[in-house]
Structures are given as C-alpha cells and as structure tokens.
Amino acid sequence: HQERQNTQVLQPPLKSAIWKGVFYFLPIMVAYNATKKLKVDPWIGGAIMAALMTPSFTSLMDASKWSDTVCHKVMGNTQCTTQVFGLPMQLTDYSSNVFVPLLMAAVLALVYHGLKRIIPESVQLVFLPFFSMIIVGTLTAFLIGPIGVWAGNGLGVGLSWMNTHVPFIFAIAIPLLYPFLVPLGLHWPLNALMLMNINSMGYDFIQGPMGVWNFACFGATAGVLAISIRDKDSQMRQTSIGALAAGLLGGVSEPSLYGIHLRYKLIYSRMLVGCGVGGVVIAVLGWLFPATVASGATVHGVTTTAFAFTSLLTIPVFNQMWVYAVSIAAAFLVSFFLILTFDYRTPEQKAEVRARVAQELADRKAEAAAAAGESAAAVAAPATAAPTAVATAATVATGESGNATAAAAETVGSPVDGHVISLDDTGDPVFASRALGEGVGVQPASATVVAPVSGVLQSVAPTGHAFGIKTDSGVEVLVHVGIDTVNMKGEGFAVAVSEHSRVSAGETLVTVDFDKVKEAGYSTVVLMTVVNTASLAEVTPKTGIDVKAGQAVIDIRH
C-alpha cells in the first residue's frame, strides 16, 4: 500500500520532468548547435551556458543568503542584481532562453577564431577551450546574458502590449512581417519569444498569426504546382510537390521560399495579399470569439500551450481551433487563386519554360521514334501544314512517285527600324544561349516598336518592355525591348496594347524613349525570338542587314 502511495506521489513530477526537461535545458542545446554552425567546438558553447544554469550560479539569486542580491519579477521571470568582485551582475533564470545562447555563440566565434590565430597549434588542445571559456563565460555572465534577457523581454513586452491593446493590428502585422523575416533568419528571435511565453505565461499568442503566413506561403506553392501541371513543367512540378508536402505536413516554409518564391519575385505580391486577408480574418474572429487560457483569463486572439510548427497536423493545438482553421484556409485559398489567376512568372520566364517544355517534348518524341525504328525527322515535322500568320509561301516538291507534298513557310517581320544582329552579339547570355528560342536582335533607329506578326497577345509586361504573341498557326514570338529594362519600371515606355487582345502585323505595341533607356545605363537593342523553336522544322534568322519595321528578318518552316 505504501509503495502504491509513493508511486502516485511521484507520477506528476516525473511527467513534468519529461516535458519540462526540453525547455529547461534548451539554452545548452541552442548553444551547442549555434557554435557548431560557426565552426567552434560545440562543447565549449554548451559548457558556458551550462555554467550559468548550475546550482552554484543560480544560488546567487537567493536574496535570503546574499545581502547584496535584490530581486524583482519581469514578464513572469525572476531577475536579480548582485555584486561580484565589486562589479554589478544581473542574474536571471536562463532556462528556456534562446536569445542569450545565440548572442553568446556569436561572441564565442569571434574570440575562439581570434585566439586560434594567436595560440600555437601545439598547445591549442589545452589552452584554446580554456581561455575561450574564461573570456566568453565571464562576458556572458556580466554582459551578454543581461543584454539577451533585455532584448527578449523588450520584444516580449512590445508584442504583448500590441496583443493586449491593439490585437487587431498585431494579428495583421505578424503574417505580413514574416515573409521578410524568414529569408533573413530574423524570425528566430520571435520563435524564441514563443518559447518564453509558454514557459512564463503558460500560453503563446504569436503562433496563431504566424500560421496565417505559413499557409499563405503554402497556398502560393499550391498555385505554382497547379500551373506546372497545366504547363507540363516537370521540373517545377517536382519542386513544388516536395515544398508543399514539407509545408502542409511539416510546417516548414523554407523549401517553398528558397526553392520557388525567392526565384520568382512576382509571387510575393500575390502571397502578401493572402497574408493580409488571413490576418484580417484571424483578427476579426479572434476579437469576436476570444480564447480562454488556463488561468481563466480571456485573450482576444488565437493561443496555444505548445510550441508547434504550423502544419495541418498541428491545427488541434490552437485555441480557438476553428478560428485558426478558418483563418489559415482564407490565407491559403487567396494566395492559391491569385497565383493561379495572375501567374507567378514574367513573360520572359514563361517563354523560357515553354521553350524548355517544348524541347523536352521534342526529345521524348525523338526517343520514341528511334525506339520504334522511325526517323526523328519525321516526328519533328508535323504531317499537316499549319496556316500562316504574316506571309505564307507554299512550296511543292514532287517525288519519284509523282505525289506532291506541301510545306508551309512563314516570315516574322522586324519589330522596329534598325540594324539586325545575331543573338550572340546582343550581350544577353540568356537570349544568346537560345533558351528562349532562335531569333535576332535589332539596334533601333526609331522609337516605335510594332507587332512582328499577327496574332493574340499572350502576355504584355506592365512595364512595356516585353510582349508575347501567338499566331494562328501556333508560332510563339517574344519581343523584348532592351536588356534589363524591367528595372526602369515603365518609365519612358508608352504601351499601346493590352494582354489577350488581338494585334495585326505592323500595329504599334509600345513607343519607347530610347534616350532615357541609354541615360539609365541599359542596352537599347530590341530582341525577338521564336519561343517554340524546338517544335518547328526550321527557324532561320537574317542578320547583318538594315531593315524597316515589318520587313522579314526570320524565316520559319513548319
């Protein structure tokens, strides 16, 4: 009976030790990993933080034992001040703290690598860790530790004030800030603050709005995946599937950010709308339906008692759960539909993808033809001739059997008056590589850029520097005015057409102030390529000639 009583008494402390152990010794773990990343012996960093958590050090906070010690409460934590060697030292409970080990690791790296240059290699094994611990340990106790605590408390007080007094603004600001903090690694202090909130108050109020940003990010990735499936872009499909799985199941945004979003800058303008909408939803619903924490207090916002990566699997840890679920769904869907509707690529990037996909398709067809014993040339050239877009010349070749076969030919006119040069001479490596198809460059002699073919404008850059036209026969032509002129943001470009409208060959696309382009330091050459070159039988540019706008500069054979 006595044994059963002892077991019942011991069970609560045992359960508490299991989950509190991770939080209590977190500074040692953070210090170990941070110093290891900075190419310092990780045990030195761990030992320094462990020294600040030993009973002999923490006993200095006992005001009943030390007459010089004065204590007070800050953000739920006890902070004390005492005198050591006549110098004032601020004391605090460093358990669960993340700011201090991160700052300590940065200083330790400077000291460690500095001493490594001074101390002879033959005695580094003994003296390098010794002096590093003495110097940085003392600095951490007297200076780095208090600074880290002040920084954490200051940030915590500021965010807590916002969440208490202006929760609406707080809930919107967090998801709008995170897309810029995460790529720079500046989100870690907030993550540290979440842990401090849970340890000191028993709950956290930051993770709910943070989840809104995460799901806006995942919604943008889902939109990219849908477009990649539509465009048969196998490369982006694989990238987005992996990133979306890591996000929805693991709550990790980095694969989406570094694999997709930071490569295609247009994503941010779509994704931030999703962050804003989700923030407004969680702000409104969080105010109307507040959460009740363990102490019985009411908090206007979504709270959680656990530090969790915000994924589909961790939705149940939030209170109110349904408010959180509705908010992240709004953020996800808005980002998804904006990406799906307005795309995430510039006209050049879309053209590059089309060219790559067309080339991959042509390669697969050639491989299939070779496997079947057919000639690759027969696969590359369609059996039926397509109608022409600008000028069509039918040529008839009669074989020995007397049967006539027709091949359709087209010409693409110059988009501007000027001198025609090869893509190799334009100074743009992307166009010179033919990644966007075969074509020409024209050194302009006039300000008016016209449509080189008749067809539908598949894309019109808002800045007026790029236009994509698809002819009735399926030829895709890209006109790019200048090199890197997207940076001019439309200054000096007067666009005369709109996307998805139909244009005739010779119709004005844009009027350009090429003097402004030169003053801005950009090349004025007008580049023009046949994006789907890989799917055509022959694309032949005519270079080294002076032309008027509309005069043929590219011959195409289907």
Side-chain angles (χ1 to χ4, degrees):
H1 177 71
Q2 184 64 39
E3 288 178 356
R4 285 199 302 270
Q5 281 187 330
N6 290 339
T7 302
Q8 291 171 355
V9 170
L10 289 172
Q11 278 178 351
L14 178 62
K15 292 177 181 177
S16 176
I18 289 173
W19 74 267
K20 277 191 174 181
V22 175
F23 286 98
Y24 187 86
F25 293 108
L26 187 63
I28 300 175
M29 303 176 197
V30 171
Y32 182 94
N33 286 321
T35 49
K36 188 176 181 180
K37 278 282 186 184
L38 295 173
K39 294 181 172 50
V40 176
D41 184 349
W43 292 107
I44 300 175
I48 291 172
M49 287 310 303
L52 300 180
M53 300 171 67
T54 57
S56 58
F57 187 85
T58 56
S59 67
L60 293 173
M61 298 175 63
D62 190 348
S64 63
K65 292 176 61 177
W66 306 96
S67 58
D68 291 335
T69 300
V70 179
C71 299
H72 57 278
K73 288 275 188 179
V74 177
M75 289 288 291
N77 293 321
T78 300
Q79 291 187 3
C80 303
T81 303
T82 191
Q83 295 286 325
V84 178
F85 302 124
L87 298 173
M89 177 187 288
Q90 182 176 312
L91 304 166
T92 190
D93 181 4
Y94 289 108
S95 63
S96 305
N97 197 293
V98 178
F99 287 93
V100 175
L102 288 175
L103 289 174
M104 180 277 299
V107 175
L108 176 59
L110 294 173
V111 173
Y112 182 89
H113 292 299
L115 291 174
K116 199 172 183 178
R117 296 190 190 97
I118 300 170
I119 299 175
E121 191 173 351
S122 58
V123 293
Q124 281 184 5
L125 182 64
V126 176
F127 292 105
L128 184 57
F130 174 75
F131 284 116
S132 295
M133 286 185 64
I134 292 295
I135 295 171
V136 180
T138 303
L139 284 174
T140 303
F142 280 96
L143 189 62
I144 299 172
I147 289 176
V149 171
W150 295 338
N153 287 343
L155 185 59
V157 168
L159 292 179
S160 181
W161 183 90
M162 284 186 67
N163 191 54
T164 302
H165 295 86
V166 282
F168 196 91
I169 295 176
F170 174 82
I172 298 173
I174 290 295
L176 287 175
L177 284 174
Y178 254 86
F180 303 100
L181 296 178
V182 175
L184 299 174
L186 298 178
H187 62 300
W188 288 110
L190 286 178
N191 291 354
L193 186 59
M194 296 171 198
L195 291 167
M196 291 171 58
N197 288 339
I198 294 171
N199 189 53
S200 60
M201 299 188 298
Y203 71 92
D204 174 60
F205 51 85
I206 303 173
Q207 291 181 70
M210 184 198 73
V212 168
W213 126 254
N214 257 8
F215 276 86
C217 172
F218 306 151
T221 303
V224 172
L225 174 59
I227 290 175
S228 69
I229 293 173
R230 183 193 67 193
D231 292 351
K232 300 179 181 178
D233 184 358
S234 58
Q235 289 184 15
M236 186 54 69
R237 183 170 66 247
Q238 292 173 1
T239 301
S240 53
I241 286 175
L244 191 59
L248 294 179
L249 301 179
V252 182
S253 59
E254 280 78 1
S256 290
L257 276 177
Y258 297 114
I260 304 171
H261 299 186
L262 294 176
R263 290 169 54 194
Y264 299 93
K265 301 302 190 296
L266 290 178
I267 287 182
Y268 260 63
S269 60
R270 281 68 159 153
M271 183 175 65
L272 285 173
V273 177
C275 291
V277 170
V280 170
V281 173
I282 201 171
V284 172
L285 294 181
W287 180 265
L288 296 176
F289 304 95
T292 302
V293 297
S295 64
T298 299
V299 178
H300 287 286
V302 174
T303 64
T304 178
T305 57
F307 180 78
F309 279 64
T310 47
S311 69
L312 289 175
L313 304 179
T314 58
I315 292 176
V317 307
F318 290 94
N319 177 29
Q320 303 263 27
M321 183 176 72
W322 74 268
V323 171
Y324 176 72
V326 170
S327 303
I328 62 175
F332 182 94
L333 292 173
V334 168
S335 293
F336 173 79
F337 283 115
L338 285 176
I339 292 291
L340 196 61
T341 304
F342 298 105
D343 211 299
Y344 64 97
R345 302 159 298 184
T346 62
E348 297 92 333
Q349 290 168 337
K350 284 192 280 187
E352 185 176 353
V353 169
R354 290 194 188 105
R356 174 165 50 78
V357 171
Q359 185 62 56
E360 290 173 355
L361 180 61
D363 291 343
R364 286 196 297 268
K365 285 182 177 180
E367 290 172 5
E374 300 173 4
S375 77
V379 177
T384 58
T388 61
V390 181
T392 302
T395 61
V396 178
T398 306
E400 293 180 359
S401 63
N403 294 327
T405 58
E410 287 186 54
T411 60
V412 179
S414 174
V416 67
D417 298 346
H419 182 71
V420 185
I421 60 175
S422 168
L423 290 178
D424 297 317
D425 300 325
T426 59
D428 189 295
V430 175
F431 281 93
S433 69
R434 273 54 175 192
L436 300 176
E438 183 60 86
V440 298
V442 183
Q443 295 169 334
S446 64
T448 304
V449 179
V450 303
V453 292
S454 297
V456 177
L457 284 159
Q458 298 289 95
S459 58
V460 175
T463 52
H465 76 286
F467 303 84
I469 307 172
K470 186 173 184 179
T471 70
D472 294 337
S473 63
V475 175
E476 298 178 17
V477 178
L478 172 67
V479 177
H480 193 285
V481 184
I483 298 175
D484 293 332
T485 45
V486 63
N487 298 324
M488 295 185 67
K489 299 179 180 178
E491 187 177 353
F493 291 73
V495 181
V497 292
S498 58
E499 195 167 338
H500 305 308
S501 62
R502 189 170 188 85
V503 292
S504 300
E507 186 176 338
T508 299
L509 297 177
V510 61
T511 302
V512 185
D513 186 341
F514 283 112
D515 290 334
K516 274 193 175 181
V517 176
K518 291 177 183 176
E519 289 171 8
Y522 300 112
S523 170
T524 59
V525 64
V526 178
L527 303 113
M528 181 176 67
T529 63
V530 177
V531 178
N532 58 336
T533 294
S535 62
L536 299 168
E538 188 178 337
V539 176
T540 307
K542 300 177 180 179
T543 59
I545 57 175
D546 293 322
V547 295
K548 290 291 185 181
Q551 186 176 335
V553 292
I554 298 177
D555 290 333
I556 295 175
R557 188 169 60 83
H558 290 269

